[in-house]
Amino acid sequence: MWKRKGRKDRRTARPVPMELCDLCARVFPEDEAVSGYVPDSSAAHLTNEWFDGLRRITACCDDHFDVIKNGYTHRPFVDEELWAAKLTRALTTGPPALSMDQLGCRTGLQEPQIRAAIAWHNERMREQQRMDP
């Protein structure tokens, strides 16, 4: 006759945190990741404005990291794009309607920067509408 062991004697495997390579999409253990930040005006951090304008990239090896990093060096850094991202964050994470002064306080931008960001955003929307059938 045999006796079944209770669950308390079983060892459960702990999940290993995994990463995904931004270049080849290989999945690998987190402790093998090569990661860092590159300048990118489209990147606004969800919670920490210190990381605004920086995009975290993750790769499975140094060569892939270098390829990704070099791709970002050829992308222009557009201040208005970053300002628009800051405005989007302020408008989507707080009260729905804000005055120009409130937007300035929440984003750290001056009124001319806010207006330039809105104009940049609106122009991108018009370009997108022209491209869509």
Side-chain angles (χ1 to χ4, degrees):
M1 198 154 115
W2 56 276
K3 189 173 183 181
R4 176 180 254 167
K5 288 187 175 184
R7 287 189 177 267
K8 65 181 180 179
D9 293 339
R10 292 186 191 171
R11 290 187 182 182
T12 57
R14 291 188 179 151
V16 175
M18 302 299 280
E19 284 286 355
L20 178 70
C21 180
D22 293 342
L23 184 66
C24 70
R26 179 179 157 237
V27 177
F28 55 94
E30 181 181 59
D31 62 347
E32 295 176 17
V34 179
S35 61
Y37 291 90
V38 293
D40 181 7
S41 57
S42 70
H45 196 273
L46 292 175
T47 58
N48 190 339
E49 66 186 42
W50 284 92
F51 292 103
D52 288 351
L54 297 173
R55 179 165 308 280
R56 186 173 194 269
I57 59 174
T58 303
C60 59
C61 64
D62 289 330
D63 290 340
H64 284 195
F65 183 85
D66 290 341
V67 169
I68 299 165
K69 185 175 87 173
N70 289 337
Y72 279 94
T73 61
H74 300 295
R75 186 183 189 283
F77 193 94
V78 180
D79 289 331
E80 292 82 0
E81 182 179 30
L82 178 58
W83 301 338
K86 288 175 174 266
L87 287 174
T88 299
R89 179 180 57 216
L91 292 170
T92 57
T93 60
L98 298 171
S99 69
M100 192 67 74
D101 289 338
Q102 290 171 322
L103 279 173
C105 287
R106 294 202 40 209
T107 61
L109 301 173
Q110 301 295 319
E111 184 174 340
Q113 294 169 316
I114 294 170
R115 292 190 184 283
I118 293 168
W120 182 89
H121 173 77
N122 289 344
E123 182 57 31
R124 298 297 83 62
M125 293 290 101
R126 283 190 286 277
E127 286 175 9
Q128 188 176 30
Q129 288 173 350
R130 285 191 292 263
M131 303 278 286
D132 290 341

